[in-house]
Amino acid sequence: MGTGAGGAVGAGVCHTDMIVRDQLYPTPLPAVLGHEGSGVVEAVGTNVTDVEPGDRVVLSFDYDDDFPSCHAGHPVYCEDFFAHNFGGSRPEDGTSPLSRGDEELSGRFFGQSSFATHAVATERNVVTVDDDVPLELLGPLGCGVQTGAGAVINTLDPQAGSSIAVFGAGSVGLSAVMAANLKGCTEIVSIDVRGNRLK
């Protein structure tokens, strides 16, 4: 699978970035974090067939095509998820696309390190988007939105007319609220300790 580089347009800060910063999850440091990114493809590798320079994309997590969970349509359960998203280097050869002078930095966080000026991603973890959507706002689609909405739509699967309570009104929680509305829940309760989020 080929890779491509793109200019960053938008990025979201997720709790996962903070727990890795604080080393509660052991990504090697120094690292360039960021896993909610969007941008424009500037270059692609020779094996890339799904995106081309100029495409507007949202970045998400990376995975390995070789595992059964990935073939079954469940790449989030990839057996090699850690190496592709938290390992800090390319699983294939142990190198990083990022450096500071002669010092190699831990890169490819969630297959992208979208806090960098340019992200190097695989064809697997980019999704093209239409020209009429505000690309600078789409970074959180790659984690917060799909996590919150996916938990409701794919895991909870509430039936129309049911009630739901969502604890936390950040981007993940509000995405869960939107998904609950989409699923037809009639009573949706959002719970948070921060008034500005509830507003």
Side-chain angles (χ1 to χ4, degrees):
M1 186 62 66
T3 60
V9 173
V13 177
C14 177
H15 189 255
T16 305
D17 294 302
M18 291 183 267
I19 65 171
V20 169
R21 174 202 63 195
D22 298 339
Q23 287 293 275
L24 299 173
Y25 220 82
T27 292
L29 296 179
V32 177
L33 303 178
H35 66 284
E36 294 186 338
S38 58
V40 178
V41 176
E42 291 188 6
V44 298
T46 56
N47 294 327
V48 174
T49 59
D50 291 339
V51 294
E52 59 187 36
D55 282 350
R56 303 164 86 246
V57 296
V58 173
L59 305 172
S60 190
F61 64 88
D62 193 21
Y63 57 94
D64 190 321
D65 283 331
D66 295 332
F67 289 101
S69 59
C70 302
H71 286 291
H74 303 289
V76 72
Y77 300 113
C78 179
E79 287 88 338
D80 210 17
F81 189 89
F82 185 88
H84 283 268
N85 295 284
F86 291 97
S89 61
R90 296 177 178 101
E92 300 80 17
D93 62 10
T95 63
S96 172
L98 302 176
S99 62
R100 179 175 49 204
D102 293 334
E103 178 187 20
E104 190 171 275
L105 301 174
S106 179
R108 294 199 74 256
F109 186 63
F110 272 70
Q112 60 186 277
S113 291
S114 57
F115 290 166
T117 305
H118 288 77
V120 178
T122 70
E123 190 173 28
R124 294 181 300 267
N125 66 309
V126 300
V127 178
T128 58
V129 294
D130 292 335
D131 290 340
D132 61 345
V133 294
L135 191 57
E136 67 278 4
L137 301 178
L138 297 184
L141 285 172
C143 180
V145 174
Q146 73 178 356
T147 300
V152 171
I153 294 170
N154 299 323
T155 304
L156 239 118
D157 191 24
Q159 300 306 300
S162 61
S163 300
I164 188 171
V166 176
F167 290 81
S171 63
V172 174
L174 292 179
S175 297
V177 166
M178 289 187 289
N181 185 58
L182 179 72
K183 291 289 288 181
C185 293
T186 53
E187 187 172 8
I188 303 169
V189 179
S190 181
I191 301 161
D192 204 302
V193 296
R194 297 186 181 184
N196 65 327
R197 288 184 176 184
L198 292 173
K199 185 177 180 180

